[in-house]
């Protein structure tokens, strides 16, 4: 059923890789896990911001291990479904742009090592991205950010 597997990535430890061809627009996987507010969240473990004060904790499944890229081959479409932004070949690492989910005022960011030519150098909150980048990411934003910045 699933066309992706967990493997060790040269660039950032564990990652999720295609093991079969994936067609542009196809759903790759869906993010799941316990829903936390910031008081409940365990920020020392895997978590994904999904709302102003809402987080998705670890599912212990593949979705916990999808790495960031500034030029990803995956993006969120219609909620927490990661879809292929282009055709993906077996062996390619699946990535998404963390800027399409994170939007914390106090997120310090971390250095990006995605390695693409257009790498922004730093993974930061959506609010701290340049306007042109925000506009480019718009179609793949989590719903709460689409509503917050673009009215839905
Ligand atoms: Zn990068």
């Amino acid at each position: 059923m699933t066309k992706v597997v967990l493997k060790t990535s040269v660039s950032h430890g564990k990652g999720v890789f295609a093991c079969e061809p994936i067609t542009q627009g196809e759903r790759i996987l869906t993010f799941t896990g316990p829903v936390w507010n910031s008081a409940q969240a365990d920020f020392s473990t895997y978590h994904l911001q999904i709302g102003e004060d809402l987080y998705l904790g670890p599912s212990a499944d593949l979705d916990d291990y999808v790495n960031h890229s500034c030029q990803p081959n995956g993006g969120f479409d219609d909620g927490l479904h990661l879809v292929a932004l282009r055709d993906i070949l077996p062996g390619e690492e699946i990535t998404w742009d963390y800027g399409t989910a994170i939007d914390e005022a106090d997120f310090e960011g971390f250095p990006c090592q995605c390695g693409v030519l257009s790498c922004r150098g730093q993974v930061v909150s959506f609010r701290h991205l340049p306007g042109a980048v925000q506009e480019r990411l718009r179609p793949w934003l989590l719903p709460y950010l689409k509503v917050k910045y673009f009215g839905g």
Side-chain angles (χ1 to χ4, degrees), residues 86-122:
R86 57 170 174 76
D87 291 347
I88 299 170
L89 296 170
E92 281 192 73
E93 184 174 5
I94 307 300
T95 53
W96 63 279
D97 192 319
Y98 287 7
T100 58
I102 306 170
D103 195 39
E104 294 172 309
D106 59 355
F107 177 57
E108 292 171 5
F110 57 85
C112 185
Q113 295 171 345
C114 75
V116 302
L117 274 177
S118 59
C119 179
R120 301 191 294 267
Q122 190 86 357

Side-chain angles (χ1 to χ4, degrees), residues 5 17 19 38 56 58 74 77 104 108-109 111 119-120 123 134 146:
V5 289
F17 290 76
C19 53
S38 52
L56 200 64
D77 178 24
E104 294 172 309
E108 292 171 5
C119 179
R120 301 191 294 267
V123 177
Q134 291 181 336
K146 274 188 185 162

Side-chain angles (χ1 to χ4, degrees), residues 8-9 11 31 46 51 57 68 92 136:
T8 300
S9 140
S11 47
F31 282 67
Y46 174 82
H68 165 89
E92 281 192 73
R136 189 170 54 75

Side-chain angles (χ1 to χ4, degrees), residues 125-147:
S125 282
F126 183 77
R127 71 183 69 188
H128 297 134
L129 291 169
V133 175
Q134 291 181 336
E135 196 57 46
R136 189 170 54 75
L137 296 183
R138 179 176 175 175
W140 315 111
L141 291 179
L142 283 186
Y144 90 99
L145 289 179
K146 274 188 185 162
V147 169

Side-chain angles (χ1 to χ4, degrees), residues 25-32 46-50 56 63-64 66-68 72-85 94-102 136-146:
E26 196 177 332
R27 269 187 196 175
I28 302 169
L29 49 79
T30 299
F31 282 67
T32 61
Y46 174 82
H47 59 280
L48 168 66
Q49 188 176 12
I50 56 169
L56 200 64
D63 54 296
D64 293 356
V66 187
N67 287 309
H68 165 89
N73 53 17
F76 289 111
D77 178 24
D78 189 24
L80 292 168
H81 306 294
L82 197 70
V83 302
L85 303 188
I94 307 300
T95 53
W96 63 279
D97 192 319
Y98 287 7
T100 58
I102 306 170
R136 189 170 54 75
L137 296 183
R138 179 176 175 175
W140 315 111
L141 291 179
L142 283 186
Y144 90 99
L145 289 179
K146 274 188 185 162

